[in-house]
Amino acid sequence: MNATRQDAWTKDEDILLAETVLRHIREGKTQLEAFKDVAKQLSRTSAACGFRWNASIRGQYQEAIESAKKDRKQNNRQKMLVQYDTTVNGESDPIDAAISLLEKMRNHSNGNKQLYGSEDVGAQQQLIEENEALKAQLNRYEQAWTEMGKLWAWVQRK
């Protein structure tokens, strides 16, 4: 494994970072995933990539970010339309499409992965686990804060 770099960012590296983040946004992936991808390519840490993006580059690409978000939204709409389109004798039947949509939604709520791909379910599970870990961390911080308050009160009494 290469050692992580700490030298100055080049214009080419900035462009690679921006293009990767914008592609991830367009594809509905997270910026954190983009930072990890760029970090591997540039032998930098994902934290360094995230910092560079937020501190220096993001402001230059606001229009491109909005465009990427619109592209993602449009692609999602097209996928949904294709996914729920049903035809009868070559013609679209809105009642059949509605029934199909409702059946797929029912199946999904019963744990079936027809509505979303298994990748989305895995990502959802990962978010649930991350959320639980963050809740536990927050609980520890709250307990530490309470203890600090008790110590502060004790110090003031002395």
Side-chain angles (χ1 to χ4, degrees):
M1 176 181 253
N2 295 342
T4 56
R5 296 171 46 190
Q6 296 182 357
D7 55 328
W9 286 75
T10 66
K11 187 68 176 166
D12 289 340
E13 290 173 328
D14 285 346
I15 292 169
L16 176 64
L17 176 59
E19 288 175 349
T20 304
V21 171
L22 292 171
R23 180 173 39 84
H24 275 70
I25 291 171
R26 238 180 263 108
E27 294 173 355
K29 297 178 183 175
T30 67
Q31 291 181 18
L32 293 176
E33 290 174 302
F35 301 152
K36 288 178 186 176
D37 288 350
V38 173
K40 288 178 191 173
Q41 295 175 45
L42 300 179
S43 297
R44 295 186 183 271
T45 65
S46 59
C49 294
F51 183 81
R52 181 67 176 177
W53 171 255
N54 288 313
S56 302
I57 300 173
R58 172 183 238 143
Q60 302 168 25
Y61 287 89
Q62 286 301 324
E63 289 180 28
I65 292 169
E66 292 306 315
S67 177
K69 288 179 180 178
K70 286 178 185 176
D71 289 348
R72 177 184 64 211
K73 198 172 193 179
Q74 184 62 32
N75 287 339
N76 286 342
R77 283 187 187 141
Q78 289 174 350
K79 287 178 187 175
M80 293 293 282
L81 290 174
V82 169
Q83 187 174 3
Y84 298 124
D85 185 34
T86 59
T87 57
V88 176
N89 297 329
E91 295 182 19
S92 181
D93 183 358
I95 293 175
D96 286 340
I99 291 170
S100 174
L101 172 63
L102 291 171
E103 286 174 346
K104 288 177 181 179
M105 289 173 68
R106 181 186 64 210
N107 290 339
H108 179 262
S109 68
N110 292 333
N112 195 318
K113 297 178 183 175
Q114 289 179 357
L115 186 60
Y116 299 105
S118 61
E119 298 161 0
D120 291 335
V121 173
Q124 184 180 21
Q125 182 60 37
Q126 183 179 1
L127 288 173
I128 290 169
E129 291 170 3
E130 182 179 356
N131 189 25
E132 291 301 318
L134 289 171
K135 283 180 185 178
Q137 186 177 15
L138 178 61
N139 188 28
R140 287 192 304 272
Y141 286 142
E142 287 173 345
Q143 289 173 351
W145 188 250
T146 301
E147 288 299 314
M148 291 297 293
K150 289 177 184 177
L151 283 172
W152 180 248
W154 179 81
V155 167
Q156 286 183 325
R157 285 191 306 256
K158 295 289 175 182

